[in-house]
Amino acid sequence: MPALGYEGHRVGPARHRLEAGAERTRTLGAVTEPEAFDVVVVGAGFAGLYALHRARGAGLSVRVIEAGGGVGGTWYWNRYPGARCDVESMEYSYSFDEDLQQEWDWTERYAGQPEILRYIDHVADRFDLRRDIRFNTRVTAATFDEGTSRWSVETDAGEQLDAQFLVMATGCLSAAMVPVIEGADSFEGSTFHTGRWPHEGVDLTGKRVGVIGTGSSGIQAIPVIAQQAAELTVFQRTAPYTVPARNGPLDPAEAAATKATYAELRQGNREATAAFGSRVPRLDVGALEVSEAERAAEYEARWERGGFTFLASFNDLFLDADSNETAASFVRAKIGEAIDDPTVAKRLMPAQVIGCKRLCLDTGYYETFNQAHVRLVDLSETPIEAITPGGIRTTAAQHDLDVIVFATGFDAMTGALSRIDIRGRDGLALCDAWAAGPRTYLGLGVAGFPNLFTVTGPGSPSVLTNMIVSIEHHVDWITDCIEHLRAHDLAVIEATTPAQDEWVDFVNGVAYATLFPTCNSWYLGANVPGKPRVFMPLPGFPIYTEVCESVVADGYRGFTLS
Ligand code: N01
């Protein structure tokens, strides 16, 4: 991958502060004999744990390699104040084991990060998963040997592993991004990235805190940081759309009722476009096909209910700019009502299509800006010039700070893969194969990279869905595929280039029929300077799963098996 000049690891002396919470990786000098496995899984988040569980169940030998010191992936690293899931707890959980889903009790409508981490720790213990996971170890390289048709995997601990199948469960939002800003090394205060928050927490009491970034992480962190900080300055480059989450304690009776019909809810979600929210279905009508009063009532009801179902109201909000504008202007009006100062309100009102950047859910976000110690700096008017020893200097003013929080997001979907030197046939590097943007077949396989599987890879619905549903679908598909190969005495599966080309065209076709590509989102890689502008996920979970099933029914159409 060409140098991006924008990586979290490129912030000079501040690096140790950014990674203060990250557990150190081991640097064992000794090279050991490669241990051989049927499957090596990279990552022990929701995807890696389920991949391990399924592979074990299929009688395969498995080793999981995890950079963190514990399980949880995104929920292990993202410990920033206010971190919480945007999908409701009863839906954001594994469905693969009936006893597991019956015995676990969520306490809130949307689970906070600590509770999700407790859940995934429970899963790891319950299924005795830890004994096959190597923690505090990062995979640095993986090379396909055409002679043996096996993968050689290297880690930063100096180990080599040998595997028939390599499953990349590296997460779509795991490669943290810290922008390169002039003078960053000179800052005398502390810096943190939301996605690498110190495990011991950070006491911001009495501090002058600056937050750069107003995506989902920033929006969750800002109201909580405001409660602690003496002064909070929010540096906003693009105003986001956010709707109230309306979080609260989960009613035990409601939870019990859900559990009584869990299978129905899970199935309903699998049939929903985004694989969640099936209890509040989309109306089968366009936004402009109803009267203004009906439209307003629908938006109001969903605003009051809280959550993503706001955008699952009318069936053309992602397809028709005029329809979309009705939802956008509804939210802008809400911002106007919530904010006392009309100038601040105007700066908080987004102009882009609603939903083309990931919609945010918040708890008290807008109200935060009515507090006297909270200031909004609109970087679209006055960009950052430099980080100085004392804070951040924009074209208009110097802002004195003790702490800078980077809520600046991730090199999404490809970042975790491109940070590993993955080499397929003829030594081809994955980052070269993807130089013009990621190319996969079904988001599961890559031509030229046999026996490599990407869980929720680019070209699959992944980040446009409830991730756990997509993860379970992919892990099931991959494990079934490996079992099929074994049952038929086959050793190698590889996506063909024509099938991959056709798939990439299909994904582009679907994406460009929507309004998604109309703004600079991380879905398009637009947040990473130099990253090719390609819409990476595929909208529409149910249609996608049908395609995956038909591929299998047609004898793994588009793959070669040998
Ligand atoms: O990152 P983001 P995130 N100067 O990329 C700004 C998931 N998630 O960590 O919009 C100034 O969305 C950038 O500005 P702009 C979820 O899928 C889920 O918040 O590019 N500003 C933007 O405001 C989410 O979408 C949950 O103009 C700069 C912000 O930083 C995804 O993770 C919670 C800048 C980055 O926003 C990523 O969310 C949290 C610069 N140089 C996250 N560079 C839950 O489910 C970037 N920005 C709860």
Side-chain angles (χ1 to χ4, degrees), residues 158-207:
E159 289 166 307
Q160 279 199 351
L161 296 91
D162 170 86
Q164 186 181 3
F165 299 100
L166 182 59
V167 175
M168 303 306 292
T170 38
C172 293
L173 294 157
S174 50
M177 296 282 299
V178 176
V180 173
I181 299 176
E182 197 191 314
D185 294 351
S186 71
F187 183 58
E188 287 168 355
S190 311
T191 58
F192 304 96
H193 187 282
T194 46
R196 292 287 179 274
W197 202 258
H199 291 192
E200 63 277 16
V202 182
D203 184 6
L204 298 171
T205 313
K207 305 272 194 226

Side-chain angles (χ1 to χ4, degrees), residues 6 80 84 86 213-214 216-217 220 237-238 357-358 409 522:
Y6 198 78
Y80 60 85
R84 183 175 295 289
D86 281 347
T214 52
S216 299
S217 304
Q220 289 189 328
R237 188 166 68 180
T238 308
K357 281 175 187 258
R358 156 66 152 77
W522 58 255

